[in-house]
Amino acid sequence: MHVTSLPGRFGVGTLGKEAYAFVDFLSAAGQSYWQMLPVNPTGFADSPYQCSSTYAGNPYLIDLETLIEQGLLTEEECDVDWGDDPESVDYGKLWEHRFDVLHKAFLRFHREQMTDFVNANASWLDTYALFSAVKAYFHGAPWYEWPDEAIRDREPDAVARYTALLADEKAFYQFLQYAFEQQWAPLRRYANERGISLIGDLPMYVPHDSADVWAQPELFLLDQRKLPTLVAGVPPDYFSELGQLWGNPIYRWDAHESDGFQWWRRRMQAVAERFDVIRIDHFRGLESYWAVPYGSTDARPGQWYPGPGMKLIRAIKAACPSLRIIAEDLGYLTPEVKKLLSDSGFPGMRVMQFGFDPNSDSRELPHNYPVHCIAYTGTHDNTPIMGWVETAPAECVAFAVDYLGLNEREGMPFGFARGVLNSVAELAILQMQDYLGLGDDKRMNNPSSTGWWRYRAQKSDFTPELAARIRYYAKMSARI
């Protein structure tokens, strides 16, 4: 369950009291992990996988009630139109109002309080804050379309000129990161003290319009105009017959390898400071990746290229020797991908929802799980399990009923939960929507389209009765 999906008053889930209440709910339910999506600033289509910085925290997650308690905001200043549906995030309203409200807090903030934070994080924060300030100055235009070519190319004189011109705006973006970290660190500590580890998510790629690409364009396949030559995606698959065209620039892997993958080492070290466990998204792209010519309208014209493989994995392990990693090994799995997963030592994933084909002995069915894997009913890219029941072919649903022994007394949601909980997988994870028995209208994402990531739970969802039943099932399967 992502942070944005938490309940709360101001349009989106945050790192405030509802996050602490959710940790308490997980603890009461006997759970040990809270998995969430990337918590970096969102970009295109509000996707957590299109982040303007691989280091920065998402300002939308900063809790306004905490800022009110700190005297940086008033209730009246936060009383704006955040949308009229408490079960859905209105990103248009957030974009319209959130930064204006946060700027009021910044004006009351004493900047000297963040001096140590700014100095300690200067290696990325200085670039990110200037990037954000210049982007705002040019009315949100992507950096490769900024009208001033000198700052677009980060020429030293231009960097100095815009740093002086936009000093206050740059400080505002530094403040947002300070406020985020001031709220993140105690929440993580609170969770850890209650036996809850946080699982984060590392996108394989970064967007073209990001501080990361602006800062080091030489690490990406860009032409002389700083436009990509190839972009990321996947070929036609379960989700779309046109494939998925993500549009992120492809890494210049030879440049990364030439300095021992320092960019990746720093990236992993930063995420390891924020989370206890990391899921590497699109792990198969490390073995080989699908790259599509820039300007294509869908992913079909792409082709496979070799990835960095174990060279990168060894660098990551050297940089973060104690970090636990989950490999998202879904999609088209060749023998080479399977070997890379085995050689890495990382646990892969199994998604039970994909397994209910009566004509196939799928790897996704629980009796085929290895111990060293992470089992899911479904991921954020799947419809909740009851949504699957509503939309899947009748023969597949009938097979699931027979396979799992689903019955009215237990109810379907917990019957599906039992399927992954009783498997030998070392860890079983369910979407909160699955425990709540929600349908397709509450899915978090559909990879074949845009306009998602909006689902929000309600405070009334997290009842003591639900926590007790989840705990009972965890205990019944000897997971606690």
Side-chain angles (χ1 to χ4, degrees):
M1 179 152 146
H2 195 36
V3 179
T4 59
S5 296
L6 292 168
R9 293 196 292 153
F10 300 122
V12 67
T14 68
L15 304 175
K17 65 181 182 182
E18 299 298 346
Y20 288 80
F22 186 62
V23 169
D24 291 339
F25 174 85
L26 293 176
S27 179
Q31 304 301 287
S32 301
Y33 294 89
W34 174 7
Q35 180 171 343
M36 58 188 70
L37 304 179
V39 296
N40 310 100
T42 51
F44 174 71
D46 307 298
S47 170
Y49 294 89
Q50 297 288 343
C51 306
S52 60
S53 169
T54 194
Y55 297 96
N58 187 348
Y60 287 165
L61 304 185
I62 297 171
D63 182 56
L64 300 186
E65 287 185 284
T66 301
L67 298 183
I68 291 171
E69 292 169 2
Q70 294 172 341
L72 297 177
L73 289 172
T74 66
E75 285 278 355
E76 292 73 22
E77 288 168 334
C78 299
D79 185 20
V80 300
D81 181 9
W82 300 114
D84 56 10
D85 184 356
E87 297 184 5
S88 179
V89 179
D90 188 331
Y91 285 105
K93 298 293 186 183
L94 284 182
W95 177 256
E96 183 180 354
H97 299 302
R98 203 66 162 206
F99 286 91
D100 288 342
V101 172
L102 289 169
H103 199 268
K104 291 180 173 66
F106 168 66
L107 292 177
R108 295 190 181 101
F109 176 73
H110 297 291
R111 298 187 192 182
E112 63 272 11
Q113 293 178 238
M114 66 178 182
T115 300
D116 290 344
F117 172 81
V118 169
N119 292 338
N121 294 278
S123 61
W124 65 267
L125 181 57
D126 194 62
T127 298
Y128 168 72
L130 181 60
F131 168 85
S132 301
V134 177
K135 187 175 176 67
Y137 181 74
F138 289 127
H139 309 291
W143 67 265
Y144 44 88
E145 294 179 4
W146 289 348
D148 187 337
E149 186 174 345
I151 190 61
R152 194 169 67 219
D153 293 339
R154 297 186 74 248
E155 294 178 7
D157 288 349
V159 169
R161 185 169 71 255
Y162 279 93
T163 297
L165 175 67
L166 304 175
D168 286 343
E169 188 74 3
K170 180 181 174 183
F172 169 58
Y173 286 100
Q174 291 171 326
F175 160 74
L176 293 181
Q177 292 309 303
Y178 173 80
F180 177 93
E181 191 58 35
Q182 289 295 109
Q183 294 185 8
W184 178 270
L187 175 62
R188 180 186 177 185
R189 186 165 56 249
Y190 185 85
N192 290 169
E193 289 170 351
R194 282 148 187 81
I196 309 296
S197 296
L198 302 185
I199 302 178
D201 201 320
L202 186 80
M204 172 59 69
Y205 297 106
V206 296
H208 188 197
D209 187 25
S210 64
D212 307 284
V213 180
W214 179 61
Q216 293 184 277
E218 69 278 6
L219 296 179
F220 302 86
L221 289 174
L222 307 180
D223 62 20
Q224 291 183 341
R225 298 170 299 165
K226 302 291 179 68
L227 297 177
T229 56
L230 293 171
V231 295
V234 291
D237 60 7
Y238 171 89
F239 291 107
S240 173
E241 62 184 15
L242 301 178
Q244 297 176 43
L245 184 62
W246 300 329
N248 308 73
I250 297 294
Y251 296 110
R252 194 181 295 276
W253 284 118
D254 57 344
H256 285 266
E257 185 178 350
S258 67
D259 69 354
F261 300 99
Q262 289 301 317
W263 186 89
W264 276 88
R265 287 171 179 259
R266 291 191 296 270
R267 187 185 189 201
M268 292 301 298
Q269 287 168 339
V271 78
E273 292 178 0
R274 191 167 278 165
F275 292 98
D276 304 296
V277 186
I278 291 297
R279 188 193 86 134
I280 298 180
D281 186 55
H282 195 54
F283 178 84
R284 71 101 54 242
L286 298 183
E287 190 282 320
S288 57
Y289 55 89
W290 188 256
V292 184
Y294 179 66
S296 300
T297 57
D298 61 59
R300 289 177 295 176
Q303 66 181 78
W304 294 104
Y305 294 84
M310 281 302 298
K311 293 177 182 177
L312 175 57
I313 290 172
R314 282 192 288 268
I316 288 172
K317 287 185 171 183
C320 307
S322 61
L323 178 63
R324 290 175 289 165
I325 292 175
I326 298 170
E328 188 267 283
D329 61 334
L330 307 178
Y332 178 58
L333 302 182
T334 63
E336 292 80 9
V337 176
K338 294 176 182 177
K339 183 178 186 305
L340 180 64
L341 179 65
S342 176
D343 291 347
S344 74
F346 302 150
M349 292 173 53
R350 295 291 189 273
V351 180
M352 189 175 67
Q353 189 179 125
F354 290 143
F356 296 116
D357 180 352
N359 302 309
S360 172
D361 184 26
S362 171
R363 75 191 282 271
E364 309 299 338
L365 289 173
H367 70 266
N368 286 325
Y369 295 173
V371 173
H372 193 48
C373 79
I374 315 300
Y376 294 78
T377 43
T379 75
H380 62 274
D381 284 333
N382 296 104
T383 182
I385 202 67
M386 291 309 295
W388 178 84
V389 171
E390 296 165 3
T391 58
E395 64 270 22
C396 295
V397 176
F399 179 71
V401 170
D402 290 341
Y403 182 89
L404 295 170
L406 301 178
N407 60 83
E408 291 185 11
R409 184 186 70 82
E410 180 180 44
M412 277 193 171
F414 275 85
F416 280 101
R418 174 169 46 79
V420 294
L421 290 169
N422 284 353
S423 74
V424 297
E426 64 186 58
L427 183 61
I429 297 179
L430 283 83
Q431 293 191 84
M432 196 66 226
Q433 295 99 305
D434 289 349
Y435 276 127
L436 292 169
L438 302 179
D440 190 58
D441 61 326
K442 301 301 183 184
R443 72 185 295 161
M444 189 62 171
N445 182 44
N446 186 336
S448 64
S449 59
T450 58
W452 298 91
W453 318 107
R454 298 177 179 274
Y455 164 71
R456 293 190 73 195
Q458 299 302 292
K459 194 171 183 177
S460 58
D461 290 335
F462 306 115
T463 64
E465 292 77 17
L466 179 61
R469 192 173 188 199
I470 294 173
R471 185 180 189 91
Y472 173 74
Y473 271 68
K475 187 174 182 180
M476 183 172 64
S477 58
R479 292 189 176 272
I480 56 173

